[in-house]
Amino acid sequence: MPSNISNEAPSEMNSPTATSAKPDMLISILARMTMEEKIGQMSQYFGHGEPISEHLVQSIRQGRVGSVINEVRLHTVNELQRLAVEESRLGIPLLIGRDVIHGFNTIFPIPLGQAASWCAETVKQCAHISALEAATAGVNWTFAPMIDISRDPRWGRIAESLGEDPYLCSVLGVAMLQGFQGDELRKNGSIAACAKHFAGYGAGESGRDYSTTNIPENELRNVYLPPFKAAADAGVATFMSAFSDLNGVPASGNKWLMTEILREEWDYKGFVVSDWESIQQLTTHGFSKDNKNAAYEASNSGIDMEMVSSTYLDHLPELIAEGRIDIQQIDSAVNKILQLKWQLGLFDSPYTDASLLPTPLNSQHLQIAKDAAIKSCVLLKNDKNILPLSTESLHCVAIIGPLADDPYEQLGTWIFDGDSQHSQTCLTAIEQELSGKANINYVKTMETSRSYDQTNFKQAVESAAAADVALLILGEESILSGEAHCRAEIGLPGCQEQLIDRIAATGTPIVLVIMAGRPLTIETVLPKVAAVLFAWHPGTMGGPAISDLLFGKAFPSGKLPVTFPRKIGQVPIYYAQKHSGKPATEAAFVHMDDIPVHSPQTSLGMAATHLDTHFSPLFPFGFGLAYTQFSYRNLELSHTTLHIGETLTVRVLLTNTGDTDGEEIAQLYIRDLVGSVTRPVKELKDFKRIKLAAGTSKWVTFELSTDKLAFYDRNMQLKTETGQFHLWLGGCSQSGMQGEFEITDD
Ligand code: NOJ
């Protein structure tokens, strides 16, 4: 055993230095720690509820616990802290971790829904309130934001993501972590954030959770890593390693990722926690032959804290004694963990006094939840401007569907601390809205979104036939998305499509509201309905938000953060694809029904298309309608040529040409026409949310520095290359005014 390590307990107990620590005092604490105490700091325990288990009590007293996950009863959390601070030898407080993903008690839209707001301020506010509420339970660390680029809607965790685009995900991921962490971590109500899952977890084969990922380094650097780099630069307190295998080396034992990229290239100073038992799982992956070797691989790769499993506690002492793990590595991990505890102010005030924080679920929190839900909803179809519905011309409204009045299912995945008793559903909100103005015929019709029982269809049909409009509130229950909840087909589950058919046959126009945790393949449904409002899982205030949108008290402004496929076979489908040598074009597209029988084999004139569906998506990234129209005119570029280091100013005149107010998300895309590695056909580079009253115009200006055009080249160097660029400015990835410029080194 190296001589600087002692297993003997130094004499002082709970020294005052430990309870009023300053950064240099952390060094002294570290110097006084036994090896067992150090490894204890690197270990996170599962709370197991009440009463606190004797094992946990003893482990905390012995200094074998750095963090506890999933304990949120305040008195229990304070007792855990008391045990740590008063009854362990060095009195080091605990990190209390919890998945606070899109709200604590007040539930905001799922992250994918928040991403549809394209509003950093909204995302930040939601995270800030989530932090304030979580802090009332003594939580000081959340495992969010999840910034895995997600291009596969089969993957259940797409719900928890910020969508498919590296730029949008970076901007919103940073906003979310800033909302959690506040200006200063030690402020009451700030909690540490965690950038997860490093890295590539969203690219699992066939959209199954935890499955293998194979991502070439260039793709990893250009697509999957940028949100993590942005989070590291913005000061995210921690990172979490992914469950998944990346190119043959599981992330939780991947030294290239955790040390070479994260620490050496990015100079990241926070600590890395494994995912739940993901170190132990290195053996299941077939990467380590036993738990001891798993502990070795993980620690050696740079994982500082182990979540839930105990390979560190069980094997690091031996690995250190054998000289396989360097004590400096252990010290560095412990130092980072202590630093975070110090930054959070835990050495000074380990206990939580909830009375110093705002009461959860207060009216301000609910109002922000409602605003966020309004901004998250995306209007996908609105034939003949059926929406907004005018209460003056309505006598009777049919409200149909399993999600119209289900307080739980509108909350979405990851809502451990959300209480559905506080949810306001569509039915209750619309009843309030229409009270004294129109009748409502409500028929739940299906017990759940997955149900195949059509017994109540007749009643639903009668109710729709007697109404001026049928509001169908359909979609996916919460449990159909989220961790380990992936789907091979992503249509409306159960017999919902049959229900739409039956209601459509009445001739009463259908307004379809969809709550879901992912994009759904709704191509066949579209012709049968007059309008579609995609609400994701909108959270506690989903009902009032949707009601305000339907009846014109609010206007839809969300845009898709992810491409909607027509058919599942198109996946992965995303806007920033690369051209093949034979890109899909209308001219080259042939549907199989149009191929003459006994046609000879040929590839001439053929392209990268499917025979059984059009190559375009059902709805492209960035798409979303409003109750008004916006026009983009007079695109101006400050330069036609510029040098590296210069900035292009781009502006366009945006006009609200309709007769209602609205809010547009103006999106700036570029294409680098020729690159030393092939470049996507479009890349989002900036966006702005602009409110415009009916009939008014505004110049919208973007500054595009050439740095923003940089990408990782063949040698994995981040560079802006000279050459021709196209640029688009518009309201969607598939539209907009087009310009051109060139970067030259002349
Ligand atoms: C497993 C999930 O992958 C991770 O995102 C989460 O934070 C942990 N469990 C803790 O619950």
Side-chain angles (χ1 to χ4, degrees), residues 134-154:
T136 62
V139 172
N140 50 39
W141 184 20
T142 179
F143 305 112
M146 190 190 97
I147 45 180
D148 297 306
I149 293 300
S150 304
R151 294 180 164 180
D152 194 328
R154 295 171 296 184

Side-chain angles (χ1 to χ4, degrees), residues 654-719:
L654 179 69
T655 304
N656 178 343
T657 56
D659 49 18
T660 36
D661 298 349
E663 202 158 333
E664 168 70 326
I665 298 162
Q667 303 160 36
L668 175 69
Y669 296 88
I670 62 102
R671 178 172 181 200
D672 187 345
L673 296 194
V674 179
S676 59
V677 292
T678 52
R679 309 302 310 133
V681 292
K682 270 186 189 172
E683 292 176 84
L684 181 71
K685 290 293 164 189
D686 212 341
F687 60 90
K688 275 188 183 155
R689 241 185 190 270
I690 297 121
K691 212 172 197 156
L692 269 187
T696 62
S697 301
K698 208 182 242 174
W699 283 100
V700 184
T701 306
F702 292 98
E703 302 288 343
L704 183 65
S705 75
T706 57
D707 290 352
K708 271 195 151 175
L709 305 174
F711 62 90
Y712 285 88
D713 66 10
R714 265 183 247 186
N715 304 316
M716 307 306 151
Q717 297 301 311
L718 184 64
K719 270 197 195 136

Side-chain angles (χ1 to χ4, degrees), residues 501-516:
D501 287 340
R502 295 281 301 277
I503 305 293
T506 66
T508 302
I510 296 175
V511 170
L512 175 61
V513 175
I514 297 182
M515 295 186 190

Side-chain angles (χ1 to χ4, degrees), residues 69-70 98-99 101 143-144 146 157 160 196-197 201 210 240 243 275-276 307 414 416 483:
I69 182 171
N70 288 353
R98 182 67 156 177
D99 290 288
I101 306 297
F143 305 112
M146 190 190 97
R157 296 195 84 168
E160 195 185 344
K196 73 186 188 186
H197 305 84
Y201 181 46
Y210 318 125
M240 185 188 292
F243 279 125
D275 204 339
W276 190 286
M307 184 183 280
W414 286 117
F416 292 152
E483 185 177 346

Side-chain angles (χ1 to χ4, degrees), residues 3 424 566:
S3 58
Q424 299 188 28
R566 295 171 185 277

Side-chain angles (χ1 to χ4, degrees), residues 579-615:
H579 261 172
S580 69
K582 294 184 176 204
T585 59
E586 287 297 343
F589 173 64
V590 186
H591 193 278
M592 62 197 240
D593 294 348
D594 300 325
I595 301 177
V597 178
H598 293 152
S599 295
Q601 167 77 32
T602 178
S603 59
L604 293 178
M606 301 294 174
T609 58
H610 291 113
L611 287 177
D612 45 5
T613 190
H614 193 266
F615 52 85

